Amino acid sequence: MTNTNLEENKRELGSYKKHGIRITCRDILDCDVERFEDESEPMFSIGRGFFYTKGYDGSELRRLDAEWKERVYRDYYLKHHELFFTKAKTKLESYGVVHIIDCHSFNEHLSIYSNEKQVSPDICIGTDAFHTPNYLLNYTVNYFKNQGYTVELNYPYAGCIIPKPYFKVNRNVKGIMIEINKRLYMDKNSVDDFKVERLRNVMKGFFESI
């Protein structure tokens, strides 16, 4: 299993500064802050909760070290969610509504845990029935389709992150997930600067038009 070094290959794909929240977290191999806590997380049973012990192919990534896991949980997982909630709360109090745009990338060839179709989409849009309004969903899907990308809803990944105190409680906390296929900015294991520039402009347009 390999994972592209996000710091070495970091590129600015666009900022959403006016009303948005931008939080940078650790590599998900260290701590996947978008997982639920252990028994509440469906992927926990196969070694892929917030603290991964298995890789995408099912092979052993690391042995469980309870002491290290507790440190990761305390110092990264909990602190990330505290910061996330605080920033969302500030926006909610200022504007009466907050929109969370949750952005990721995914491998072109999906993991063994996915019901893989023949061709993975360029863009995966993740939604939540409670927190994703139709206007945000329709805008997002139409925008990327108009850019010439193939788009699927909740495949290969589903849902979007919402601060836990607001989850299924406050409809004014709205969210959507945008998963970008790595082929849109990489050639095999290398970042393609030309593709990155195009994608940067696409994402810039998305946030400026929203």
Side-chain angles (χ1 to χ4, degrees):
M1 175 180 155
T2 61
N3 189 57
T4 302
N5 189 311
L6 300 182
E7 290 303 317
E8 292 180 0
N9 293 324
K10 192 173 182 180
R11 296 292 189 275
E12 185 62 58
L13 296 179
S15 299
Y16 187 36
K17 296 180 179 179
K18 188 175 181 181
H19 303 300
I21 299 171
R22 183 167 63 182
I23 298 177
T24 301
C25 60
R26 293 173 64 86
D27 192 311
I28 63 171
L29 297 184
D30 291 328
C31 179
D32 191 341
V33 297
E34 300 217 10
R35 301 293 197 203
F36 288 112
E37 295 164 285
D38 285 354
E39 281 71 18
S40 301
E41 171 54 52
M43 299 291 280
F44 170 68
S45 63
I46 55 173
R48 297 182 62 76
F50 77 88
F51 186 85
Y52 289 10
T53 56
K54 296 293 181 66
Y56 291 100
D57 60 359
S59 62
E60 184 178 72
L61 177 62
R62 59 185 167 190
R63 294 183 178 179
L64 178 62
D65 181 327
E67 183 177 346
W68 177 247
K69 179 180 177 180
E70 178 59 29
R71 180 179 173 186
V72 169
Y73 177 72
R74 180 188 69 241
D75 293 347
Y76 298 104
Y77 186 89
L78 289 181
K79 286 187 178 180
H80 173 88
H81 282 280
E82 288 170 4
L83 176 61
F84 184 36
F85 170 67
T86 298
K87 287 184 174 289
K89 182 173 182 288
T90 298
K91 296 293 183 181
L92 188 62
E93 291 173 347
S94 297
Y95 301 105
V97 63
V98 60
H99 292 84
I100 297 168
I101 312 297
D102 181 22
C103 298
H104 303 266
S105 64
F106 66 97
N107 292 320
E108 181 174 6
H109 302 291
L110 305 176
S111 80
I112 62 172
Y113 304 116
S114 300
N115 295 318
E116 186 169 359
K117 299 181 180 181
Q118 289 186 344
V119 180
S120 57
D122 295 325
I123 303 290
C124 162
I125 305 298
T127 66
D128 180 89
F130 189 91
H131 292 283
T132 306
N134 286 334
Y135 67 81
L136 182 58
L137 173 60
N138 293 337
Y139 166 75
T140 303
V141 170
N142 290 333
Y143 178 83
F144 286 106
K145 282 187 175 181
N146 289 338
Q147 298 299 318
Y149 295 123
T150 58
V151 177
E152 296 244 18
L153 293 182
N154 294 310
Y155 178 83
Y157 301 100
C160 58
I161 191 169
I162 299 293
K164 191 173 181 180
Y166 296 134
F167 188 59
K168 304 297 187 184
V169 173
N170 191 331
R171 291 186 184 275
N172 287 329
V173 180
K174 306 179 188 299
I176 198 165
M177 178 175 69
I178 302 171
E179 290 265 6
I180 299 170
N181 197 311
K182 288 182 179 179
R183 65 173 176 246
L184 298 187
Y185 64 89
M186 296 185 71
D187 286 323
K188 295 184 179 180
N189 294 323
S190 299
V191 173
D192 184 311
D193 290 334
F194 178 80
K195 289 182 176 181
V196 167
E197 181 63 18
R198 188 200 175 213
L199 188 56
R200 185 191 72 81
N201 289 329
V202 167
M203 296 306 295
K204 184 173 182 288
F206 173 84
F207 287 116
E208 289 181 345
S209 302
I210 200 168

